[in-house]
Amino acid sequence: AGRKASMQAARRLGLPLLALMASLPAASATCATFAAWLAPEHVVGMQVSNNLLAGGFVSFIVSSDLRSIDVNWQIRGGMGAGDRTSYITHAGVFGPAEAGQNKPSMMGTLLDLDLGVLGGNAPAYDVTIKRRIRASAADMNQLLTFMRENRAYVSVMTSNNQEGELRGQIVAPHCLETALTSSVAGSQYHGFANVLISPNMTENAWAALVQMSPKASGTATITAGADTTSAFTVNDEFNPTMPNEGQMYMFARMDAAWSTHFRNVYSGEMMATVATSMQSLSGSLMMAKSCRKLMTAEDTLFTIARAHQNDWITVWSMNDGQPDNRRTLEPKYYAHPMELKTGETAERIQNRFGMTMEELQRANPSISDFGSMSEGSECPSC
């Protein structure tokens, strides 16, 4: 009871480590910070032909110190993938450019996505390959600024389409989440699911990720109202000993029905349930809670606190359970969410909690412009 009282007091006081939360947050710590849905029709200024690639999805998780990005990318083979004389030549993040524009000619690649690990080979028709990398840009501040401002895009080039075969504008997605629990008493299996929703209403794009622990095979579906998605892959939890092993999202574009369902779940107007075919795991999706990190096998309260320049006792005070509870796929608060009220501005928040602009930005990597915040405005979440 004493610890709970301390936690409530800490939240009322708003410790210096905090992040700003809005009624419609752009992203949450259990979700990727940024994402891009890739398609041939997004390529600007040329007609894509004989395409090796049909589409793809890329997620970006920005590190707490803003010095690196964990990139999870997926590429799906297209009709021309059977041509073994053709190959992928390059993939990267480019900008500054809004949707429908190309980057200035003097700007190079902002971030190399390292598709060379495939040996240049494209996946076979309708086959999706995945990869996870940790990357850093020569100018991370510039890269993150363009990403926050929606002025960065992913482009994949091939020998058939040297100026670009797939492209997707990078956005800060809206996020749904749920813990997955088993209906079997005493089961050791548990999981976590996220759905990312593009804020671009005309794209109608979404992506779902389901993870399970311990390791198990199976599929998952999402049900909303009378509709159920097709079955998609359940992932093992992220394994730090295999950092290059990507995770498989179910992703879709131009899917008005499910985009509408997920937006209704996000606004609290509809229920949606995730269920797995193995181990009877299920959970109800809801808007993701801000300022939380999904625990991996390498995480402890101490490592989370250190990464966010805090102490483990403070992090413990924000979370239920014992400090030695190391269960993976369990979200832990690393900062106090804070919603701006009338009369509060970024400057007043900094003065109130003794924070620098750099510290505020580090806790809220998807916010594009703190300086433009006015009284009564709300910011995206951490």
Side-chain angles (χ1 to χ4, degrees):
R3 189 173 69 83
K4 287 292 185 183
S6 298
M7 180 178 71
Q8 292 170 356
R11 289 191 178 183
R12 286 195 301 270
L13 291 172
L15 295 178
L17 181 61
L18 59 84
L20 304 177
M21 181 180 66
S23 57
L24 291 179
S28 179
T30 65
C31 272
T33 319
F34 300 101
W37 284 260
L38 312 182
E41 54 266 35
H42 289 164
V43 176
V44 177
M46 62 170 290
Q47 182 68 40
V48 175
S49 61
N50 193 26
N51 55 307
L52 302 179
L53 310 171
F57 176 74
V58 187
S59 65
F60 303 85
I61 300 176
V62 180
S63 67
S64 59
D65 60 8
L66 308 186
R67 294 179 180 177
S68 64
I69 301 177
D70 285 344
V71 184
N72 193 96
W73 51 254
Q74 297 168 232
I75 300 291
R76 183 181 297 152
M79 294 295 292
D83 179 6
R84 293 292 91 185
T85 64
S86 302
Y87 50 93
I88 299 172
T89 57
H90 182 53
V93 175
F94 301 88
E98 297 179 357
Q101 300 177 341
N102 282 323
K103 69 175 182 65
S105 58
M106 75 287 292
M107 296 292 291
T109 305
L110 298 175
L111 186 71
D112 190 342
L113 295 186
D114 195 23
L115 283 185
V117 297
L118 302 175
N121 293 327
Y125 172 66
D126 207 30
V127 171
T128 299
I129 55 174
K130 55 187 173 66
R131 177 78 172 178
R132 182 184 177 112
I133 63 170
R134 176 163 293 175
S136 295
D139 189 338
M140 283 293 294
N141 182 60
Q142 179 188 64
L143 171 66
L144 292 174
T145 296
F146 292 159
M147 294 173 78
R148 294 179 191 118
E149 295 174 348
N150 198 25
R151 295 196 299 144
Y153 63 92
V154 174
S155 182
V156 182
M157 295 82 161
T158 69
S159 56
N160 289 357
N161 296 282
Q162 297 185 25
E163 297 301 317
E165 185 163 311
L166 295 179
R167 171 174 164 157
Q169 203 73 12
I170 296 173
V171 298
H174 300 313
C175 181
L176 303 174
E177 67 180 10
T178 183
L180 302 177
T181 57
S182 177
S183 60
V184 179
S187 173
Q188 63 178 324
Y189 289 93
H190 62 285
F192 203 84
N194 289 112
V195 174
L196 281 64
I197 313 164
S198 173
N200 183 347
M201 300 288 285
T202 62
E203 188 172 31
N204 284 322
W206 58 274
L209 175 68
V210 175
Q211 302 178 71
M212 182 188 294
S213 180
K215 184 175 182 179
S217 60
T219 59
T221 56
I222 303 175
T223 299
D227 296 332
T228 300
T229 65
S230 57
F232 57 94
T233 301
V234 170
N235 295 263
D236 298 332
E237 62 181 310
F238 171 65
N239 185 349
T241 66
M242 300 178 65
N244 295 329
E245 182 63 28
Q247 293 180 305
M248 188 72 77
Y249 283 79
M250 167 73 162
F251 63 93
R253 291 180 56 256
M254 307 311 293
D255 185 351
W258 273 100
S259 292
T260 300
H261 286 338
F262 289 136
R263 289 192 178 100
N264 287 338
V265 173
Y266 191 74
S267 62
E269 299 174 15
M270 191 174 194
M271 292 287 293
T273 302
V274 180
T276 66
S277 62
M278 300 289 290
Q279 311 305 326
S280 301
L281 298 182
S282 64
S284 296
L285 288 166
M286 62 183 64
M287 181 192 295
K289 297 179 181 178
S290 302
C291 312
R292 301 201 300 175
K293 173 179 171 55
L294 202 59
M295 297 284 283
T296 71
E298 65 181 356
D299 289 321
T300 65
L301 293 186
F302 177 77
T303 61
I304 292 175
R306 182 173 58 185
H308 293 88
Q309 299 185 337
N310 206 347
D311 62 87
W312 73 266
I313 294 179
T314 300
V315 174
W316 179 31
S317 75
M318 291 185 282
N319 294 282
D320 295 325
Q322 297 301 316
D324 56 351
N325 181 356
R326 295 279 301 278
R327 194 167 89 153
T328 58
L329 296 183
E330 184 174 81
K332 297 288 187 182
Y333 281 102
Y334 61 81
H336 294 288
M338 178 175 179
E339 182 176 348
L340 292 183
K341 304 298 183 182
T342 301
E344 291 177 326
T345 64
E347 182 178 4
R348 292 182 181 181
I349 294 295
Q350 289 177 252
N351 293 336
R352 179 181 176 187
F353 296 108
M355 301 177 73
T356 65
M357 179 59 73
E358 180 182 0
E359 290 170 331
L360 198 58
Q361 185 72 79
R362 189 165 56 237
N364 300 270
S366 64
I367 293 181
S368 60
D369 185 7
F370 285 97
S372 67
M373 287 164 36
S374 59
E375 292 188 5
S377 68
E378 295 178 320
C379 283
S381 64
C382 52

